[in-house]
Amino acid sequence: MGQTLQRAAQWTTATDGHSGKLEFSSLNEDLLNTVLNFAEGPSGKSPEEGKLVFKKPLTWTTALKPSAFSGSGYIEKGTSVVSEATSPKDACPLLELSGNKLSVLSLEQAENVLRVAGDRKMVELRACLEENKDPVANMLGDRFATVDGADNSIFRYHEEITKEIELLSKQSDESEEKKRELEEKKLVLSLRLKLLRLDEHMLNASIIKITNDVRLNPKIVDGEVTVLKQVSGEDNNRYALQFINYFGENYVYQNGCRAQPWRQLNGDICYLVIKCFDVDHPLYVTANTSGYYLNKGPSKEKSGQLEYERPDSDTYRELVTMIKAKSPHFAEMISKQEFNVKQTKDRDFHLAVAQDDDQDLETTARSEHHQHHYQSKEQTQQGDKDRKKTQPTRTKLEPSLKWKNLSLDDEQRSHKSDRKPTKKASNIHETRSRSTKTPLAEQEDHFSESSTESEEEEEAIERRPEANADLPSEYWQIQKLVKYLKGGNQTATIIALCSLRDFNLTQETCQLAIRDVGGLEVLINLLDTDEVKCKIGALKILKEISRNTQIRRAIADLGGLQTMVKILRDQDKDLKCLAAETIANVAKFRRARRTVRQHGGIKRLVHLLDCVKLNSTVMTPEMEMSVEVARCGALALWSCSKSKKNKEAMRKAGAIPLLAKLLKSEHENMLIPVVGTLQECASEPSYGLAIRTEGMIEDLVKNLKSSNQELQMHCAAAIFKCAEEKETRDLVRQYGGLDPLVGLLSSGTDDKQLLAAATGAIWKCSISPENVQRFQELKAIDMLVGLLHNQPEEVLVNVVGALGELAKDPPNRMAIRKAGGISPLVNLLTGTNQALLVNVTRAVGQCAEEPDNMIIIDKLDGVRLLWSLLKNQNRDVQASAAWAICPCIENAKDAGEMVRSFVGGLELIVSLLKSEDKEVLAAVCAAIANIAKDEENLAVITDHGVVPMLAKLTHTTDDKLRRHLAEAIARCCNWGNNRISFGKERAVAPLVRYLKSKDENVHRSTARALFQLSKNPENCITMHEAGVVKPLIKMVGSRDEDLQESSAGCIGNIRRLALANEKARYS
Amino acid sequence: MANKRKFQENFVQNMLKNHKGDSDRPCRFTAREITSLLDIFMKFTQGCSNKHRLERVRFRDELHKSFQITDDFLMDRIFRAFDKGSKGYLKPEDFVCGLSCLLVGTLNDQMKYCFQVYDLNSDGYISREEMFHLLKSTLVKSTEEDPDEGVKDLVETALKKLDCDHDGRVSFPDFQQAVRQDALMLECLGNCLPNQVAKKEFLQIVRGETEKRY
């Protein structure tokens, strides 16, 4: 079990000093359970083995009380307990508990301990294993210590025993002593073997568990595709596959995925088209994080889109396995390994051209820059494939230094490196290559001129066809078609537009080719004509290519948005739809959104939303069309609604009631943009109110139960943003929205955005106590605690926020502890995300209100972590940490000592009184009030000058600060001549003014402070002058006993002074 | 006058009876619309020798005026498509049925009509030569290269889109398939249908929703 514990078990990195902690992960839980079963159960252990005395005791810090071992077999010795059973050798008790240290010397005793611990046995076992990193060595001696590499200890031991047995059989005068020793050794061996078996068993189990967790990632997929590419080609005798390619736009996102972001939400990584020799139609494969599976192939309605549904439910972990299952030919080839691998071929080529390399080194740069000639020179592609094949070898070369000599600026160089992959034969890379082409065209031309030396020119002429050959054939075809667009009448234009759409417009090569040959200008100009057909054709193309970010910008630069906004008023509904959809694509960046607004686009888009009845039973084609218009309008508004001013413009244009109407729709494709827009807008308070008053909460809750994760996510996010208002929270509960929210957590979804939205909604909803009750019934705490592990920060922030809110209800604090939530929460205190820290500190603070929780927090050194967060840059974190410290000090056992143990801690907290943030000040005052309960600490903070700093703050008008400040002053009066100092620092008169505040809490703490201060005669005079008596007398009549008492005490002190004064005068 | 009304009634009845379900040249107008169209026809033929014959030149003039179809060659083709039996003139039936296709025709009607217009020799196929003829004036003459070169390229492009069975010529099923794939292809070889605005205006006149222009 040593190996498993060392390797498979997950230890936390945050070690507090010497020993690490076992993480609270499912894997560890499983391991612990197995060990527990072994230790507890009689299975596989003989009584002799149970009695075998350990070489060294297993010692750990226990939570068990001596009284637990009250039964027979144990003797109490003062505070410690020892077992009656002792080891035969040195009469050492087999179990000893002194203080909280527990030592155990045999398995039998260990079993007893676990039995005594009852339901806390897991905790004991965990502590034992955490503190005894190699229990086997302790039990059986250091010779069996877990070591890396080959472990022969058992064999050696076995040999030793056999030798001794032989020896023993020879010596017939068998000494009793020797025999017993041998018996013991045999026992040790058998126990060791059993432990080894346990170890093996656990390792196997954890390996199975770990392998289950292995999921696909873009790197694995790319790797498999690259390998398969090498075994694909046209010849079915030599290659295993005809071809394998990525499907769809060849844009690789930062995370390495190729699937569109909204598909990535479902775990899709990329899509593949695979053509096998013996399968008629190509296979369309989705690479999902859960594995590979078939999809239904390209959509018939929307070109370039896939139908993502799965025809069958087979999922494969490896691509090869999948293709093997689909294509017998492939399986055969793979098993025979009778296929050509392209890589080797390329390498041969590489050798062949190696001698040319010197020359190539010089000319690569040139041939690179000659590429741009493709723009002016129209040369048909001479498809010399052999020559093409030489390209990949050249890409491996380093850029020529000539580029530097030619004083290229960085931008150009980056541009060049950007273009380098163009030369790779695989067309994926080709498509990504020309990304920065147009903006730099001018510079490039300039550059090409600067580098025309006679010798190079010759080279250039030779090389040009080859450089041009790099361009995909689509490029030339697109260029020709754009020429027809430019120089043709309506008929030629229509032919060209229709033909352009036959290209895969989702591919970046084609998108950029259209732009590079000046197609965008023509397409946008066409939108200004009167020809409806041309406009439709042009928009259909623009809609597709505007998914590319560069095209978006180019469209905006060319004034396309203005024209499209105009079209939104057109009679033709098809046109309106297309224009709105294109705007939806283009308006993904800020400038475009501004342009749409400035040209009155928002108003027109909102108009589009106004359609006839949505869910009427009979739908004429015309009605369906107007619903479609509304859907497109919603899509465009969704994009636009990311700008604050647009939200405002939408509201003014009356979008809210229209969205509310559309929200009643039953169709997901309508609901997603509508809810998406609402979700985007809900951050504005005006929308939050409107969403509630327009009755949209009900629909949002209804759609939470949808089966579409994207829709669920947007609904949850909308509720998250709206639930800042109490009424909204109540509505969510009344419509039964809390159940599906919790349901989303338990659905085991991998969709992090959905989780973040759902937990966010739970967080905000749990601000209302009624909702907390419902969450309790739904056992939300357990699920939330479960989410504290292995989640990204955006989820954690919300989870912890929710726990913090829920923990305001005392029973929940216990529930969090029982669910094992305290330790991960405390661990999160070491994070850096400020939003997360604010929530974590709040949650820890809430948990610390319960003394039992406090014990755990203290054990995990949580207070020190909280204290160190006072140094955080962020004021919210500072304030939140200071608030959290208050209950910790209140509930910790030896709070004074603990606080003193933080080196520089007191100085730090006093220095925070210089903060400018009211919230920080209030929190720090509250913390100081708690710290000052301990006299020694009060002395220290007095030395750090707490008195003048508090006095300086007294002029505040903020009631919250006043309350805690007065409290702090009251507490600080209890040391030395602090009372006099407060008087000298002129803190008294401002305090008297606090009594005019409307806040009862302020009165209470102020009265307490005044009572303390009034013990000094000088202060009494000041108070009296400030007119303290009248309000205090009123407060004596208060119902609050505390307030009564302090007020009366203060008046008493003042009165006593007056009496003494009189007495002195008249006597 | 009575005679005229009698003729009108007979004509309408005849159209409704014979052409409503006519698969070749259906008439999808209502009785009232047919009456109104007959009036328009009569106005077109005013001053002609035979009031029931609309001559080619007059027809072309009106086509130009009402539907902004400008290409002479295509107008001629449209006339021929209207003129059933190649009489060289249009009878009222021809006129009403033709306009039915143009204004209220289904996609099928219009595909049939357009194919008829483009199939210059009426052999059931649109050949490369026919396409060349139809498309030759669609490109702005470029100075640098052979002007025919561009047109030939365009023909190939169009053929690629239209010729679904790859036999080098466009049959009616080819054409149908291409148009169903992309509705814009309907008028891919020349403008022979009125645009939305013109259609709407003309229909309003026929339905008596605006002042009569004729």
Side-chain angles (χ1 to χ4, degrees):
Chain A
M1 88 185 157
Q3 293 285 5
T4 319
L5 288 174
Q6 275 193 359
R7 287 149 198 262
Q10 294 158 322
W11 296 91
T12 55
T13 46
T15 54
D16 49 348
H18 26 269
S19 63
K21 297 266 177 218
L22 275 171
E23 260 180 67
F24 286 82
S25 67
S26 58
L27 179 67
N28 285 348
E29 293 300 324
D30 279 2
L31 289 179
L32 287 177
N33 271 323
T34 323
V35 176
L36 196 66
N37 277 338
F38 176 80
E40 254 190 331
S43 59
K45 284 200 321 261
S46 64
E48 291 80 32
E49 282 163 9
K51 287 200 175 79
L52 182 78
V53 178
F54 295 166
K55 291 282 187 286
K56 263 190 286 175
L58 292 172
T59 309
W60 70 90
T61 318
T62 178
L64 292 174
K65 304 259 153 54
S67 53
F69 297 96
S70 52
S72 61
Y74 295 99
I75 310 161
E76 272 197 66
K77 283 187 187 168
T79 56
S80 61
V81 170
V82 293
S83 64
E84 277 172 4
T86 52
S87 78
K89 271 182 198 158
D90 45 5
C92 199
L94 291 179
L95 180 139
E96 189 175 356
L97 174 68
S98 66
N100 55 2
K101 286 280 176 215
L102 184 68
S103 309
V104 168
L105 264 171
S106 78
L107 269 178
E108 199 182 35
Q109 291 299 335
E111 204 182 314
N112 270 348
V113 170
L114 291 177
R115 203 170 49 236
V116 165
D119 58 349
R120 293 182 55 80
K121 59 190 172 192
M122 201 56 133
V123 182
E124 291 302 314
L125 182 66
R126 184 182 283 275
C128 173
L129 293 178
E130 275 170 3
E131 286 177 39
N132 301 288
K133 277 285 175 63
D134 197 349
V136 181
N138 281 16
M139 289 157 73
L140 306 177
D142 282 333
R143 63 182 304 168
F144 293 114
T146 309
V147 290
D148 294 347
D151 184 357
N152 295 323
S153 57
I154 295 176
F155 293 106
R156 273 188 265 118
Y157 201 64
H158 182 249
E159 268 171 48
E160 199 179 303
I161 291 175
T162 13
K163 259 186 211 158
E164 276 185 49
I165 289 174
E166 279 169 30
L167 215 71
L168 213 63
S169 58
K170 279 177 200 162
Q171 302 172 332
S172 47
D173 57 324
E174 69 247 30
S175 66
E176 199 60 30
E177 179 82 5
K178 265 268 165 70
K179 211 172 184 181
R180 233 199 0 253
E181 213 170 88
L182 190 64
E183 277 309 306
E184 198 192 307
K185 276 189 176 174
K186 273 188 187 167
L187 263 182
V188 167
L189 181 65
S190 77
L191 187 58
R192 170 63 191 151
L193 287 172
K194 268 171 196 160
L195 285 174
L196 196 69
R197 198 172 63 200
L198 175 69
D199 199 9
E200 202 169 23
H201 173 72
M202 287 199 297
L203 266 180
N204 283 339
S206 45
I207 284 170
I208 288 167
K209 209 160 165 63
I210 290 167
T211 40
N212 275 342
D213 283 342
V214 172
R215 326 203 90 224
L216 279 188
N217 63 39
K219 236 178 154 175
I220 299 178
V221 177
D222 282 348
E224 282 206 77
V225 171
T226 322
V227 170
L228 284 174
K229 272 201 171 147
Q230 287 165 5
V231 300
S232 54
E234 282 302 326
D235 187 346
N236 68 350
N237 292 324
R238 288 163 56 205
Y239 295 110
L241 277 179
Q242 205 161 346
F243 62 76
I244 171 166
N245 267 324
Y246 294 103
F247 180 89
E249 46 186 321
N250 276 305
Y251 182 73
V252 183
Y253 292 87
Q254 235 171 5
N255 54 12
C257 293
R258 289 163 199 274
Q260 297 92 333
W262 58 92
R263 293 298 311 171
Q264 283 177 29
L265 295 182
N266 299 342
D268 289 4
I269 294 167
C270 64
Y271 307 102
L272 303 168
V273 195
I274 302 165
K275 180 80 183 71
C276 307
F277 288 107
D278 48 355
V279 183
D280 300 333
H281 49 89
L283 302 171
Y284 292 91
V285 178
T286 303
N288 192 283
T289 47
S290 61
Y292 296 95
Y293 57 80
L294 285 181
N295 59 46
K296 283 192 175 165
S299 162
K300 281 173 192 95
E301 289 106 67
K302 292 185 213 160
S303 65
Q305 292 263 19
L306 276 173
E307 298 212 26
Y308 300 102
E309 295 88 334
R310 315 168 53 160
D312 51 39
S313 60
D314 298 342
T315 307
Y316 300 84
R317 205 159 283 289
E318 281 167 276
L319 195 50
V320 172
T321 332
M322 173 173 202
I323 307 173
K324 268 187 186 167
K326 303 284 171 202
S327 157
H329 176 261
F330 178 80
E332 195 190 341
M333 290 294 265
I334 289 289
S335 56
K336 279 201 226 150
Q337 301 193 325
E338 273 185 2
F339 48 83
N340 277 24
V341 177
K342 276 183 186 163
Q343 190 59 44
T344 54
K345 236 172 117 187
D346 277 356
R347 212 169 285 141
D348 292 344
F349 239 109
H350 187 69
L351 288 174
V353 293
Q355 58 208 59
D356 291 330
D357 268 2
D358 287 0
Q359 190 194 351
D360 272 342
L361 263 170
E362 275 181 30
T363 54
T364 344
R366 273 179 250 133
S367 65
E368 295 254 14
H369 85 247
H370 287 312
Q371 272 188 15
H372 74 255
H373 282 295
Y374 66 73
Q375 264 185 320
S376 48
K377 304 281 170 190
E378 296 161 15
Q379 296 193 351
T380 45
Q381 186 198 18
Q382 311 275 317
D384 187 346
K385 283 189 177 162
D386 278 354
R387 225 184 293 174
K388 241 184 174 174
K389 269 189 183 160
T390 64
Q391 298 296 340
T393 58
R394 204 169 299 141
T395 53
K396 285 166 193 142
L397 300 173
E398 287 301 310
S400 151
L401 286 176
K402 282 220 167 150
W403 288 84
K404 272 185 194 155
N405 299 341
L406 292 166
S407 73
L408 273 169
D409 58 30
D410 279 339
E411 206 180 355
Q412 269 173 319
R413 211 169 307 139
S414 73
H415 163 68
K416 188 227 162 205
S417 60
D418 220 346
R419 280 182 54 182
K420 265 194 80 182
T422 323
K423 303 202 139 196
K424 287 206 178 149
S426 62
N427 52 8
I428 334 149
H429 292 284
E430 271 175 24
T431 54
R432 287 176 51 70
S433 58
R434 236 166 288 110
S435 43
T436 52
K437 184 77 191 123
T438 305
L440 287 164
E442 233 182 70
Q443 285 173 307
E444 272 204 343
D445 284 344
H446 171 73
F447 166 58
S448 77
E449 276 165 24
S450 71
S451 67
T452 45
E453 290 159 34
S454 56
E455 181 197 18
E456 275 185 29
E457 207 156 50
E458 250 177 30
E459 274 281 326
I461 292 161
E462 263 177 32
R463 296 240 161 220
R464 201 167 293 152
E466 198 177 300
N468 280 336
D470 280 347
L471 291 167
S473 62
E474 289 102 322
Y475 181 85
W476 304 108
Q477 288 159 14
I478 287 173
Q479 187 179 49
K480 196 171 69 188
L481 291 174
V482 170
K483 212 173 67 190
Y484 297 147
L485 285 185
K486 283 179 187 163
N489 71 357
Q490 193 200 345
T491 308
T493 304
I494 284 176
I495 295 177
L497 288 174
C498 291
S499 300
L500 268 179
R501 277 180 43 217
D502 284 345
F503 288 94
N504 184 1
L505 293 179
T506 54
Q507 217 175 352
E508 204 178 26
T509 348
C510 298
Q511 293 166 347
L512 295 179
I514 292 176
R515 184 194 63 182
D516 292 349
V517 298
L520 281 183
E521 288 89 332
V522 194
L523 288 172
I524 288 167
N525 280 344
L526 278 176
L527 299 183
D528 260 332
T529 60
D530 287 332
E531 292 298 336
V532 178
K533 288 184 174 177
C534 295
K535 284 200 232 180
I536 288 182
L539 274 176
K540 278 183 173 171
I541 294 169
L542 287 173
K543 184 185 106 183
E544 290 298 326
I545 61 177
S546 57
R547 293 185 188 174
N548 181 308
T549 42
Q550 299 169 57
I551 301 280
R552 276 176 209 156
R553 290 188 182 269
I555 291 176
D557 288 339
L558 293 167
L561 282 169
Q562 287 87 324
T563 327
M564 284 190 282
V565 166
K566 259 183 233 154
I567 291 177
L568 291 177
R569 264 212 192 138
D570 203 280
Q571 300 278 326
D572 195 297
K573 285 182 174 164
D574 275 320
L575 263 182
K576 279 199 245 187
C577 276
L578 287 166
E581 279 185 282
T582 316
I583 291 176
N585 281 343
V586 177
K588 294 248 162 77
F589 64 105
R590 198 190 303 163
R591 184 162 50 88
R593 289 195 281 267
R594 197 179 56 213
T595 313
V596 173
R597 183 181 68 246
Q598 284 171 347
H599 289 82
I602 301 289
K603 220 176 184 174
R604 292 183 194 185
L605 286 170
V606 170
H607 268 288
L608 296 189
L609 298 183
D610 199 0
C611 66
V612 277
K613 278 185 186 165
L614 266 171
N615 295 325
S616 66
T617 41
V618 196
M619 290 288 276
T620 62
E622 206 157 313
M623 286 160 86
E624 269 171 27
M625 194 63 218
S626 81
V627 172
E628 176 65 12
V629 170
R631 188 187 74 84
C632 296
L635 262 178
L637 284 176
W638 186 10
S639 293
C640 289
S641 62
K642 292 192 174 71
S643 299
K644 201 177 154 93
K645 277 190 182 166
N646 282 359
K647 292 176 195 171
E648 190 60 25
M650 280 163 61
R651 196 176 55 81
K652 280 186 184 151
I656 298 173
L658 292 172
L659 286 169
K661 213 170 96 189
L662 294 177
L663 194 58
K664 307 269 182 216
S665 164
E666 283 156 4
H667 301 288
E668 276 169 12
N669 58 358
M670 172 68 97
L671 284 169
I672 289 175
V674 170
V675 181
T677 313
L678 284 173
Q679 182 256 106
E680 210 62 68
C681 292
S683 51
E684 296 292 302
S686 54
Y687 274 89
L689 184 70
I691 286 173
R692 173 163 54 87
T693 51
E694 293 276 342
M696 289 192 249
I697 298 292
E698 185 177 3
D699 296 303
L700 288 173
V701 167
K702 192 184 84 196
N703 288 318
L704 265 184
K705 297 165 194 158
S706 148
S707 59
N708 183 309
Q709 287 203 340
E710 191 181 359
L711 183 54
Q712 287 178 319
M713 189 260 286
H714 290 310
C715 285
I719 293 176
F720 176 21
K721 289 178 183 169
C722 293
E724 299 276 2
E725 282 177 79
K726 187 185 177 305
E727 290 86 348
T728 308
R729 294 195 290 268
D730 292 341
L731 283 175
V732 173
R733 182 185 65 251
Q734 280 157 21
Y735 291 124
L738 303 180
D739 301 41
L741 280 175
V742 176
L744 284 176
L745 301 190
S746 56
S747 65
T749 174
D750 273 328
D751 186 339
K752 298 300 177 199
Q753 270 173 294
L754 177 58
L755 269 182
T759 48
I762 291 178
W763 170 17
K764 292 299 173 190
C765 284
S766 55
I767 296 172
S768 294
E770 296 91 340
N771 292 355
V772 172
Q773 202 124 43
R774 182 71 198 141
F775 282 131
Q776 245 164 6
E777 288 159 26
L778 293 168
K779 306 220 180 311
I781 297 233
D782 292 342
M783 284 177 237
L784 287 170
V785 169
L787 287 174
L788 286 174
H789 301 287
N790 308 326
Q791 295 292 341
E793 274 177 352
E794 63 262 30
V795 178
L796 281 176
V797 171
N798 296 342
V799 171
V800 175
L803 285 174
E805 285 302 334
L806 289 170
K808 283 186 180 158
D809 194 25
N812 284 340
R813 292 172 194 152
M814 194 178 69
I816 293 176
R817 183 184 69 232
K818 285 207 170 140
I822 306 281
S823 151
L825 277 176
V826 172
N827 281 344
L828 285 175
L829 286 174
T830 53
T832 51
N833 181 323
Q834 295 183 332
L836 180 56
L837 282 175
V838 170
N839 285 352
V840 175
T841 43
R842 190 177 299 142
V844 171
Q846 288 296 342
C847 288
E849 299 275 2
E850 171 121 354
D852 282 347
N853 290 353
M854 193 51 224
I855 294 171
I856 304 178
I857 295 173
D858 198 10
K859 215 163 123 192
L860 296 167
D861 219 5
V863 187
R864 185 191 298 274
L865 292 171
L866 281 174
W867 213 285
S868 65
L869 286 177
L870 292 176
K871 284 188 267 189
N872 195 292
Q873 300 289 317
N874 187 309
R875 289 171 173 185
D876 293 337
V877 178
Q878 284 176 353
S880 186
W883 284 123
I885 285 172
C886 300
C888 289
I889 296 176
E890 257 172 66
N891 292 319
K893 249 187 216 159
D894 224 346
E897 186 56 41
M898 175 184 75
V899 171
R900 270 193 297 283
S901 73
F902 304 142
V903 178
L906 289 171
E907 192 177 356
L908 171 66
I909 204 160
V910 171
S911 73
L912 274 182
L913 286 174
K914 287 181 204 146
S915 168
E916 278 159 12
D917 189 277
K918 291 253 166 64
E919 188 67 23
V920 175
L921 289 173
V924 170
C925 284
I928 286 179
N930 275 305
I931 293 167
K933 284 181 194 163
D934 183 276
E935 217 170 51
E936 227 173 292
N937 289 336
L938 176 54
V940 177
I941 55 174
T942 307
D943 284 350
H944 287 308
V946 74
V947 173
M949 287 169 105
L950 288 176
K952 223 182 265 171
L953 293 174
T954 47
H955 291 285
T956 180
T957 52
D958 183 82
D959 271 346
K960 194 172 184 186
L961 175 54
R962 281 176 161 188
R963 173 185 167 189
H964 295 285
L965 176 61
E967 191 70 45
I969 290 177
R971 299 275 188 199
C972 288
C973 281
N974 289 328
W975 179 255
N977 47 9
N978 279 0
R979 287 193 189 92
I980 303 165
S981 312
F982 277 122
K984 276 187 192 152
E985 298 285 346
R986 298 175 196 283
V988 179
L991 272 179
V992 175
R993 281 201 291 276
Y994 290 8
L995 297 177
K996 284 182 195 146
S997 156
K998 287 186 181 108
D999 189 342
E1000 187 111 332
N1001 291 317
V1002 176
H1003 295 169
R1004 196 181 311 121
S1005 59
T1006 308
R1008 210 176 288 153
L1010 289 174
F1011 171 56
Q1012 286 295 340
L1013 289 168
S1014 67
K1015 290 178 182 167
N1016 173 267
E1018 292 289 327
N1019 289 344
C1020 283
I1021 297 167
T1022 324
M1023 274 179 225
H1024 194 260
E1025 278 169 359
V1028 78
V1029 179
K1030 212 171 166 191
L1032 275 182
I1033 285 178
K1034 224 191 249 168
M1035 273 159 212
V1036 172
S1038 157
R1039 290 188 178 183
D1040 185 337
E1041 282 184 18
D1042 209 22
L1043 177 55
Q1044 272 179 13
E1045 211 179 309
S1046 328
S1047 309
C1050 184
I1051 296 174
N1053 283 337
I1054 296 173
R1055 188 64 203 142
R1056 259 191 289 279
L1057 177 68
L1059 281 175
N1061 202 12
E1062 261 171 56
K1063 215 178 194 177
R1065 198 181 295 169
Y1066 294 109
S1067 62
Chain B
M1 208 56 194
N3 198 10
K4 192 184 166 191
R5 181 154 304 154
K6 188 105 191 246
F7 170 78
Q8 223 174 36
E9 268 173 30
N10 276 340
F11 179 76
V12 171
Q13 289 308 319
N14 186 33
M15 287 303 288
L16 287 178
K17 210 167 85 192
N18 297 339
H19 292 277
K20 188 113 196 188
D22 186 350
S23 61
D24 191 34
R25 282 174 63 174
C27 169
R28 299 181 196 277
F29 284 121
T30 60
R32 222 181 119 222
E33 287 165 341
I34 296 172
T35 321
S36 156
L37 279 166
L38 190 64
D39 281 349
I40 293 170
F41 183 83
M42 291 306 181
K43 272 184 192 125
F44 285 171
T45 55
Q46 225 155 36
C48 293
S49 52
N50 189 335
K51 272 199 145 193
H52 297 295
R53 285 184 179 195
L54 181 58
E55 299 299 333
R56 181 188 302 249
V57 186
R58 282 304 291 273
F59 175 73
R60 280 173 46 166
D61 277 358
E62 298 304 332
L63 205 58
H64 190 155
K65 248 192 259 166
S66 306
F67 298 146
Q68 285 94 44
I69 296 175
T70 45
D71 189 285
D72 282 339
F73 180 72
L74 275 173
M75 283 200 280
D76 206 55
R77 291 300 307 160
I78 293 168
F79 179 81
R80 280 164 196 271
F82 273 51
D83 177 11
K84 198 181 182 186
S86 305
K87 305 175 293 290
Y89 62 86
L90 298 186
K91 294 212 286 185
E93 293 92 315
D94 295 329
F95 181 72
V96 173
C97 289
L99 282 184
S100 159
C101 172
L102 254 60
L103 297 174
V104 292
T106 62
L107 184 64
N108 251 330
D109 296 345
Q110 296 191 341
M111 282 197 284
K112 219 177 272 179
Y113 158 78
C114 287
F115 190 80
Q116 217 174 336
V117 170
Y118 299 146
D119 182 10
L120 301 183
N121 58 6
S122 309
D123 65 347
Y125 294 100
I126 306 174
S127 65
R128 273 202 175 77
E129 290 69 39
E130 285 168 324
M131 283 167 85
F132 184 84
H133 206 76
L134 284 161
L135 293 176
K136 83 183 154 189
S137 56
T138 57
L139 291 180
V140 178
K141 295 274 183 297
S142 63
T143 44
E144 42 187 284
E145 49 181 309
D146 183 9
D148 281 357
E149 200 59 40
V151 181
K152 271 182 192 156
D153 257 357
L154 187 59
V155 167
E156 289 309 318
T157 313
L159 193 69
K160 203 171 118 198
K161 278 238 59 154
L162 287 171
D163 184 16
C164 300
D165 56 7
H166 308 292
D167 61 352
R169 57 189 184 165
V170 182
S171 63
F172 184 57
D174 280 344
F175 187 72
Q176 268 181 314
Q177 196 182 338
V179 175
R180 284 194 202 284
Q181 239 165 46
D182 189 342
L184 289 183
M185 289 303 288
L186 187 61
E187 287 185 86
C188 63
L189 298 176
N191 179 14
C192 55
L193 289 169
N195 65 30
Q196 293 290 336
V197 181
K199 210 192 236 179
K200 206 169 151 193
E201 274 177 13
F202 198 89
L203 272 175
Q204 276 176 344
I205 294 163
V206 171
R207 287 169 186 164
E209 283 159 12
T210 46
E211 281 174 47
K212 283 188 181 172
R213 208 169 63 186
Y214 301 105

